[in-house]
Amino acid sequence: MSKESAVRYYKPRAEFSLDVTDIQNFVYDMSRCIKCKGCTWVDHTYMPGARFMTRCPSATKFEFDAYGAYGKMRIGHAMAEGVLDWNEKALEIIYACTLCGACDVGCKRNLDLEIELSLEALRVKAVKDGVGPMPAHKKIAANIAETHNFFNAAHAQRRDWVAASGVTPAEKADVLYFVGCSASYTNKEIARATARILKAAGTDFMLLSDEWCCGNTLFSVGLYDEAKALAERNVEAVRRTGAKILLTSCAEGYRMWKVDYPKLLGIATADLGFEVLHLVEYVDEKIKDGALTLDKPFETRMSYHDACSLSRLSEPWTPYEGKRGWMGCVEPRLKRRRGTNGVYAQPREILEAIPGVQLVEMPRMRENAFCCGAGRGTGEAFPDFARWAAAERLEEVKYVGAETLVSTCPWCKNNFSRVVKEDGLPVQVMDISEVILAAIEG
Ligand code: SF4
Ligand code: SF4
């Protein structure tokens, strides 16, 4: 081979982007899976023993290779190449997965394959091909279309939590609190606590005059067009208010606003026109500024559960178009989202600052945390799987002897609470907003 042709050979040449509406963009990633199972096992160096060594809820529960990311990559590759058609089992395998991102983090330890995006693209393909999503997901989509919320509750009751909070939102403020469906309807304690925390910090905040669902479940199950319509509507509504900060108290909503809205709109997170913060990021800043003091004791041995959408799935989004060549090298450089820059420090620093809290870490923590099982359409389509995942995580809570389990997402709180109640476990499950408020007000 001449020097000139060798240079041509090494030059990246196949065009691709990270657009999840075209499965062909991820054929490289799906086809290069080497079945090493780094997506299933937590790195051995972090593990105290054999009990809590898996990171993939789906592969751990169903104990069959098809359910691991490696199985889904093979199914997706075969479908993208037109050698496999949808069938009932393939559809179940693609949706019996919490889209928790643990496989993506594990795979990127070695290979930098875009596993999470491949899984998202597969669900978009399932919908485009007329087989997805699952019936339970279609019901949620109908609820959202009809009443603009997940639960099909009366839209007029969305602000019912405000009166009981004792806080009056401002007409205009720099901070806009996007409450989300759960805190508006089923977990009003989180909305009330968030409002009171903001008041204690001296922060005026506004609400959207007509808040609609963030569309997390729509996007998660592959209903791309429906999710995009909500993204356009909601981002425009926030831009019109002039808010500088969009604050959420829900990890899933946070990921939606920070990562998936930009993905749906073809822009970078930095181009939204406002900053997206979870309550814990805001509170952490306010404690450091001296505007908030958490001085009321809370005597408990506590463990913190990293919600997937606030941790490994929360890194900012930047659209990408480039070329790929030999050994997968890409041009221009692609800054990978490997999950290591999620929101890990702030919630832990907040909890550790509370007098009386003894924070103990579970073996699977930060980007290796084991998903609670509830989010991204799993709880609705596969309730037994969601229950199993929460029970498995609660075994870890037992293992470290924690009395209180804290997370940053109503979906985690509800799923853990259900299992704790049904199984009579001696664990108190709380949202971090409730813990922070207790440390402020006593
Ligand atoms: S870690 Fe990546 S390459 Fe290895 S089996 Fe999992 S998806 Fe395939
Ligand atoms: S997203 Fe989570 S549940 Fe789905 S394959 Fe990956 S690790 Fe397993």
Side-chain angles (χ1 to χ4, degrees):
M1 191 183 287
S2 71
K3 195 175 169 195
E4 198 181 294
S5 60
V7 169
R8 262 206 310 276
Y9 180 72
Y10 290 115
K11 209 170 168 189
R13 58 197 183 286
E15 291 185 3
F16 77 106
S17 77
L18 297 185
D19 176 4
V20 296
T21 62
D22 184 358
I23 194 83
Q24 297 301 326
N25 283 321
F26 303 99
V27 165
Y28 172 86
D29 305 84
M30 295 187 293
S31 66
R32 292 315 193 274
C33 164
I34 56 170
K35 226 176 178 188
C36 64
K37 301 196 178 175
C39 50
T40 291
W41 302 103
V42 178
D43 313 47
H44 299 162
T45 43
Y46 299 149
M47 290 298 103
R51 175 62 185 90
F52 302 112
M53 291 188 81
T54 56
R55 64 170 98 229
C56 171
S58 184
T60 310
K61 158 83 175 141
F62 297 106
E63 297 181 320
F64 196 71
D65 275 9
Y67 289 87
Y70 31 92
K72 295 179 181 98
M73 292 306 106
R74 272 154 185 76
I75 292 170
H77 183 206
M79 285 183 175
E81 300 287 8
V83 294
L84 179 69
D85 279 336
W86 287 106
N87 57 59
E88 210 177 305
K89 196 64 187 171
L91 195 67
E92 183 224 307
I93 287 167
I94 297 306
Y95 281 102
C97 156
T98 60
L99 274 195
C100 67
C103 50
D104 193 74
V105 167
C107 189
K108 284 177 176 155
R109 292 266 199 271
N110 286 328
L111 292 179
D112 263 344
L113 299 178
E114 295 297 341
I115 305 301
E116 179 80 1
L117 294 177
S118 301
L119 294 173
E120 288 177 7
L122 255 172
R123 292 185 179 194
V124 175
K125 177 174 166 51
V127 171
K128 269 202 219 166
D129 292 347
V131 293
M134 306 300 278
H137 301 146
K138 290 179 185 161
K139 172 78 179 76
I140 294 161
N143 290 349
I144 295 169
E146 201 177 318
T147 54
H148 311 311
N149 69 78
F150 182 94
F151 306 103
N152 210 18
H155 186 52
Q157 289 168 5
R158 197 163 182 106
R159 281 192 184 205
D160 279 5
W161 63 270
V162 174
S165 73
V167 181
T168 308
E171 285 299 315
K172 186 110 188 115
D174 286 345
V175 175
L176 188 150
Y177 174 33
F178 183 85
V179 187
C181 295
S182 297
S184 296
Y185 293 104
T186 57
N187 292 81
K188 294 179 191 171
E189 74 284 1
I190 295 177
R192 284 195 295 265
T194 301
R196 294 191 70 79
I197 292 165
L198 292 174
K199 186 178 181 197
T203 299
D204 281 338
F205 68 92
M206 59 179 159
L207 304 173
L208 274 177
S209 58
D210 186 20
E211 184 183 295
W212 289 13
C213 176
C214 73
N216 164 48
T217 305
L218 301 180
F219 176 73
S220 298
V221 303
L223 291 164
Y224 190 92
D225 294 341
E226 292 82 348
K228 186 175 178 183
L230 270 182
E232 283 166 351
R233 187 260 175 203
N234 286 345
V235 168
E236 200 37 51
V238 171
R239 283 177 176 161
R240 273 201 306 273
T241 67
K244 295 193 173 90
I245 293 173
L246 180 129
L247 187 130
T248 81
S249 53
C250 169
E252 300 265 300
Y254 175 78
R255 190 208 73 250
M256 203 57 196
W257 279 93
K258 185 175 171 184
V259 182
D260 293 327
Y261 278 2
K263 192 186 289 174
L264 286 157
L265 299 177
I267 60 173
T269 299
D271 297 328
L272 277 169
F274 46 86
E275 191 181 7
V276 180
L277 293 179
H278 188 281
L279 176 69
V280 293
E281 294 175 287
Y282 193 77
V283 165
D284 184 59
E285 275 175 25
K286 290 293 164 188
I287 292 172
K288 285 172 181 153
D289 288 355
L292 259 186
T293 311
L294 310 188
D295 56 2
K296 303 288 187 295
F298 190 161
E299 298 290 341
T300 189
R301 185 172 167 91
M302 177 185 282
S303 203
Y304 173 72
H305 168 77
D306 288 282
C308 311
S309 291
L310 185 69
S311 52
R312 57 192 165 225
L313 294 175
S314 76
E315 293 178 0
W317 177 258
T318 310
Y320 179 85
E321 280 182 24
K323 290 184 177 177
R324 179 161 19 225
W326 186 69
M327 292 289 282
C329 295
V330 298
E331 263 182 24
R333 184 168 175 257
L334 169 55
K335 191 171 186 291
R336 300 283 179 179
R337 298 171 65 250
R338 299 191 180 98
T340 44
N341 294 314
V343 180
Y344 299 112
Q346 295 92 328
R348 291 175 165 82
E349 286 174 11
I350 291 168
L351 296 172
E352 278 175 335
I354 299 172
V357 168
Q358 187 195 352
L359 194 64
V360 285
E361 292 285 3
M362 288 182 271
R364 291 173 289 194
M365 57 187 276
R366 295 175 54 99
E367 64 267 37
N368 290 319
F370 196 82
C371 174
C372 82
R376 314 205 69 179
T378 316
E380 294 70 36
F382 300 95
D384 292 347
F385 174 33
R387 190 198 191 286
W388 172 88
E392 163 69 10
R393 187 63 160 155
L394 283 160
E395 286 295 315
E396 225 167 323
V397 176
K398 258 192 253 170
Y399 175 81
V400 296
E403 303 154 328
T404 306
L405 176 63
V406 175
S407 189
T408 51
C409 188
W411 302 93
C412 302
K413 181 186 172 186
N414 295 346
N415 204 29
F416 286 133
S417 297
R418 170 175 73 133
V419 176
V420 161
K421 193 171 168 207
E422 287 171 4
D423 293 357
L425 301 177
V427 177
Q428 171 182 219
V429 182
M430 295 179 79
D431 184 79
I432 200 162
S433 59
E434 299 172 278
V435 179
I436 294 167
L437 186 65
I440 294 169
E441 295 186 351

